[in-house]
Short mmCIF file of all heavy atoms in Angstrom, two decimals:
data_model
loop_
_atom_site.label_atom_id
_atom_site.label_comp_id
_atom_site.label_asym_id
_atom_site.label_seq_id
_atom_site.Cartn_x
_atom_site.Cartn_y
_atom_site.Cartn_z
N PRO A 451 -82.21 69.89 69.13
CA PRO A 451 -83.42 69.21 69.57
C PRO A 451 -83.13 68.24 70.70
O PRO A 451 -82.00 67.88 70.97
CB PRO A 451 -83.87 68.48 68.32
CG PRO A 451 -82.63 68.28 67.53
CD PRO A 451 -81.72 69.42 67.85
N HIS B 105 -87.52 71.00 59.52
CA HIS B 105 -87.85 69.88 60.40
C HIS B 105 -88.78 70.36 61.51
O HIS B 105 -88.57 71.44 62.04
CB HIS B 105 -86.57 69.30 60.98
CG HIS B 105 -86.74 67.97 61.62
ND1 HIS B 105 -86.71 66.81 60.89
CD2 HIS B 105 -86.98 67.62 62.89
CE1 HIS B 105 -86.91 65.79 61.72
NE2 HIS B 105 -87.08 66.26 62.93
N LEU B 107 -89.10 69.44 64.54
CA LEU B 107 -88.51 69.47 65.88
C LEU B 107 -89.56 69.18 66.95
O LEU B 107 -89.64 69.88 67.95
CB LEU B 107 -87.85 70.82 66.15
CG LEU B 107 -86.57 71.02 65.34
CD1 LEU B 107 -86.04 72.42 65.54
CD2 LEU B 107 -85.53 70.01 65.75
N ASP B 108 -90.36 68.17 66.71
CA ASP B 108 -91.36 67.81 67.71
C ASP B 108 -90.90 66.62 68.53
O ASP B 108 -91.66 65.70 68.82
CB ASP B 108 -92.72 67.57 67.06
CG ASP B 108 -92.66 66.60 65.88
OD1 ASP B 108 -91.54 66.24 65.46
OD2 ASP B 108 -93.72 66.20 65.39
N CYS B 109 -89.63 66.66 68.92
CA CYS B 109 -89.06 65.56 69.70
C CYS B 109 -89.92 65.13 70.89
O CYS B 109 -90.00 63.93 71.17
CB CYS B 109 -87.67 65.91 70.21
SG CYS B 109 -86.61 66.60 68.97
N CYS B 112 -92.16 62.68 69.57
CA CYS B 112 -91.63 61.82 68.51
C CYS B 112 -91.04 60.55 69.10
O CYS B 112 -90.23 60.60 70.02
CB CYS B 112 -90.57 62.59 67.73
SG CYS B 112 -89.78 61.60 66.45
N GLN B 114 -88.92 58.62 67.94
CA GLN B 114 -87.51 58.40 67.66
C GLN B 114 -86.61 59.06 68.71
O GLN B 114 -85.46 58.67 68.87
CB GLN B 114 -87.17 58.96 66.27
CG GLN B 114 -85.80 58.57 65.74
CD GLN B 114 -85.79 57.16 65.15
OE1 GLN B 114 -86.82 56.50 65.09
NE2 GLN B 114 -84.64 56.71 64.71
N ALA B 115 -87.15 60.03 69.40
CA ALA B 115 -86.34 60.77 70.37
C ALA B 115 -85.59 59.81 71.28
O ALA B 115 -86.17 58.87 71.82
CB ALA B 115 -87.23 61.71 71.18
N CYS B 118 -82.28 59.06 67.90
CA CYS B 118 -82.49 59.79 66.65
C CYS B 118 -81.17 60.33 66.11
O CYS B 118 -80.40 60.96 66.83
CB CYS B 118 -83.46 60.93 66.90
SG CYS B 118 -83.59 62.05 65.51
N LEU B 120 -80.78 62.72 64.13
CA LEU B 120 -80.75 64.19 64.15
C LEU B 120 -80.40 64.71 65.53
O LEU B 120 -79.59 65.63 65.68
CB LEU B 120 -82.10 64.75 63.72
CG LEU B 120 -82.39 64.76 62.22
CD1 LEU B 120 -83.80 65.26 61.96
CD2 LEU B 120 -81.38 65.63 61.48
N GLN B 121 -81.00 64.12 66.54
CA GLN B 121 -80.69 64.56 67.90
C GLN B 121 -79.22 64.32 68.20
O GLN B 121 -78.52 65.22 68.68
CB GLN B 121 -81.54 63.79 68.91
CG GLN B 121 -82.99 64.18 68.93
CD GLN B 121 -83.72 63.49 70.07
OE1 GLN B 121 -83.40 62.37 70.45
NE2 GLN B 121 -84.70 64.19 70.63
N ARG B 156 -90.69 64.78 59.04
CA ARG B 156 -89.45 64.51 59.76
C ARG B 156 -88.39 63.86 58.87
O ARG B 156 -87.27 63.62 59.30
CB ARG B 156 -89.71 63.58 60.94
CG ARG B 156 -90.60 64.17 62.02
CD ARG B 156 -90.64 63.23 63.23
NE ARG B 156 -91.67 63.64 64.17
CZ ARG B 156 -92.56 62.80 64.72
NH1 ARG B 156 -92.53 61.52 64.40
NH2 ARG B 156 -93.45 63.24 65.57
N VAL B 209 -84.27 58.87 61.40
CA VAL B 209 -85.05 59.86 62.14
C VAL B 209 -86.42 59.30 62.45
O VAL B 209 -86.70 58.13 62.22
CB VAL B 209 -85.16 61.17 61.31
CG1 VAL B 209 -83.79 61.75 61.05
CG2 VAL B 209 -85.90 60.92 60.01
N GLY B 210 -87.30 60.15 62.93
CA GLY B 210 -88.63 59.69 63.31
C GLY B 210 -89.63 59.73 62.18
O GLY B 210 -90.82 59.96 62.41
S1 SF4 C 603 -86.93 62.92 64.14
FE1 SF4 C 603 -85.46 63.28 65.78
S2 SF4 C 603 -85.14 65.48 65.78
FE2 SF4 C 603 -86.99 65.06 64.64
S3 SF4 C 603 -88.66 65.27 66.07
FE3 SF4 C 603 -88.08 63.10 66.02
S4 SF4 C 603 -86.56 62.89 67.66
FE4 SF4 C 603 -86.77 65.05 67.23
#
Side-chain angles (χ1 to χ4, degrees):
Chain B
H105 194 84
L107 289 174
D108 51 351
C109 313
C112 177
Q114 191 80 3
C118 171
L120 281 176
Q121 287 187 327
R156 295 187 191 132
V209 299

